[in-house]
Amino acid sequence: MTRRVAIFISGGGSNMVSLVDSMTGDHPARPCLVISNQPDAGGLAKASAKGIPTAVVDHRPFKGDRAAFEAELARVVDAAKPDILCLAGFMRVLTEGFVSRYEGRMLNIHPSLLPKYRGLNTHARALEAGDAEHGCTVHEVTPELDDGPILGQARVPVLPGDTPDSLAARVLVEEHKLYPAVLRRFASGDRSPIYLP
Ligand code: GAR
């Protein structure tokens, strides 16, 4: 049975595009919704251009009432009947109430080699620490921020003269390989981790 995938974005949505473009042919999943908390997220137009239904649930009118924001988010997501939820550059922290509703079905991509550098500014923190390598992780979402079982990791070298931006760009290339590889495996019922390259 084809699995339905909802993809959550907040920005340009390059990971969303890589996921959508991978779901063709004998892939066990298809996109059913791209949803953003940012009305001006660049990824929304990219999804529409690919014929994927889009939705916006702007967090701002909820004025910090996370429960009310997440109730509306869940209402819109559930209407699309997804089997799998992929956070792809979704920059709102989700509370336990929302996460547990979709337990075992929600993935996230994070730009670090978890458990290193949960949270923000991961590239700058890797540089500051003098790390020789950096990378990205896809993991199952659990109520703890950037935690949960690891489903895949990809590594890149840190090069002399790297800036947070140059390192982010090198990691992003790997994100676009890792997330589709993990989604394909996950959608076929296999949760064993993938390590790239
Ligand atoms: C990606 O690098 C992703 O790993 C990161 O945001 C970027 C989104 O880019 N996610 C996080 O930092 C989550 N905490 P994209 O919109 O082009 O996919």
Side-chain angles (χ1 to χ4, degrees):
M1 200 189 63
T2 306
R3 318 293 286 163
R4 295 167 62 83
V5 179
I7 305 172
F8 291 56
I9 64 170
S10 297
S14 69
N15 276 290
M16 177 275 295
V17 168
S18 74
L19 290 175
V20 166
D21 287 349
S22 74
M23 285 186 260
T24 59
D26 67 352
H27 196 291
R30 290 291 184 272
C32 65
L33 176 70
V34 170
I35 186 162
S36 174
N37 66 305
Q38 293 284 1
D40 58 354
L44 289 168
K46 295 175 195 169
S48 289
K50 291 174 179 292
I52 299 158
T54 63
V56 173
V57 179
D58 189 343
H59 60 278
R60 285 166 295 197
F62 294 94
K63 300 190 193 312
D65 184 345
R66 285 188 187 271
F69 166 65
E70 291 180 354
E72 178 60 7
L73 198 61
R75 189 187 67 74
V76 175
V77 167
D78 289 351
K81 299 188 174 10
D83 302 297
I84 298 171
L85 297 81
C86 288
L87 308 184
F90 186 71
M91 302 308 280
R92 297 298 294 175
V93 172
L94 295 167
T95 69
E96 178 161 12
F98 189 88
V99 170
S100 54
R101 182 185 188 93
Y102 303 107
E103 197 180 339
R105 300 197 279 141
M106 198 188 301
L107 314 185
N108 179 45
I109 188 154
H110 183 72
S112 78
L113 294 171
L114 290 173
K116 279 187 162 183
Y117 314 130
R118 297 184 169 105
L120 298 175
N121 304 317
T122 57
H123 310 298
R125 288 157 69 198
L127 286 174
E128 253 163 51
D131 290 354
E133 62 174 10
H134 184 45
C136 52
T137 302
V138 177
H139 63 96
E140 260 181 61
V141 177
T142 57
E144 205 65 39
L145 180 69
D146 299 329
D147 202 44
I150 288 176
L151 297 168
Q153 286 189 318
R155 317 178 101 78
V156 300
V158 177
L159 300 178
D162 260 337
T163 63
D165 284 349
S166 67
L167 193 49
R170 192 174 310 117
V171 170
L172 196 61
V173 171
E174 298 308 309
E175 294 186 35
H176 296 162
K177 297 177 199 159
L178 180 68
Y179 212 172
V182 169
L183 176 62
R184 178 182 266 271
R185 184 176 280 198
F186 188 83
S188 71
D190 182 351
R191 288 167 195 236
S192 58
I194 294 177
Y195 292 97
L196 300 178

